[in-house]
Amino acid sequence: MELVAVAVVLAGLLAVTGAVGIVLRRRASRPYPVPRFDVVDPRRLGAAPDALGRTATLLQFSTETCQRCPAVHRTLAEMARDSDDVAHLDIDVTDRPDIARRFQIAQTPTTLVLDGRGVVRTRFGGAPRRDVVQLEILRLRSQSASV
């Protein structure tokens, strides 16, 4: 009888832990408001001066040890290839603590969505979902069209 009670308690703990993990993972892929940064200069990141996209730039921060970063890189690079007004930059912050501090990178991957002027508009901590990133790009397109 005691063994059954222990098994029930352990199963309950496992279920709660799994549910918390699912909630945290879903929250990580949502965009959240960002404080206004100055305009991002791609040269300070080691990129070409004309590296920004006309409508949006998907600025990904990665590290050498990040396991999810390669998949995020493939997704974001594909999205940029499919749009002539979107660019993708992947910055490895492993040896660039100055950049990690500047953009307050506490986890990788972290993705910033910049508008056509290089202003940070959206921030994703963790692996962003493709559909959510596409919505952000559409939002920036509609804003740039109305200006």
Side-chain angles (χ1 to χ4, degrees), residues 48-65:
D50 61 347
L52 298 180
R54 190 173 66 252
T55 298
T57 301
L58 308 175
L59 178 55
Q60 175 185 348
F61 295 100
S62 305
T63 57
E64 293 172 358
T65 58

Side-chain angles (χ1 to χ4, degrees), residues 83-116:
S83 302
D84 62 348
D85 61 340
V86 177
H88 172 242
L89 295 174
D90 189 350
I91 307 300
D92 186 333
V93 294
T94 302
D95 298 320
R96 296 293 309 267
D98 58 317
I99 292 175
R101 276 191 307 276
R102 163 78 171 91
F103 293 99
Q104 301 168 2
I105 306 302
Q107 72 180 75
T108 55
T110 292
T111 304
L112 304 180
V113 179
L114 312 178
D115 66 14

Side-chain angles (χ1 to χ4, degrees), residues 32-89:
Y32 54 93
V34 294
R36 286 286 178 179
F37 289 109
D38 295 336
V39 174
V40 174
D41 182 354
R43 294 174 294 190
R44 291 186 65 195
L45 303 173
D50 61 347
L52 298 180
R54 190 173 66 252
T55 298
T57 301
L58 308 175
L59 178 55
Q60 175 185 348
F61 295 100
S62 305
T63 57
E64 293 172 358
T65 58
C66 174
Q67 293 184 0
R68 293 190 292 169
C69 290
V72 170
H73 177 92
R74 283 189 299 275
T75 299
L76 297 179
E78 182 179 298
M79 292 175 74
R81 269 193 312 274
D82 292 344
S83 302
D84 62 348
D85 61 340
V86 177
H88 172 242
L89 295 174

Side-chain angles (χ1 to χ4, degrees), residues 20-33:
V20 168
I22 289 170
V23 167
L24 290 176
R25 178 166 272 201
R26 285 184 185 248
R27 287 178 126 188
S29 67
R30 291 185 188 157
Y32 54 93

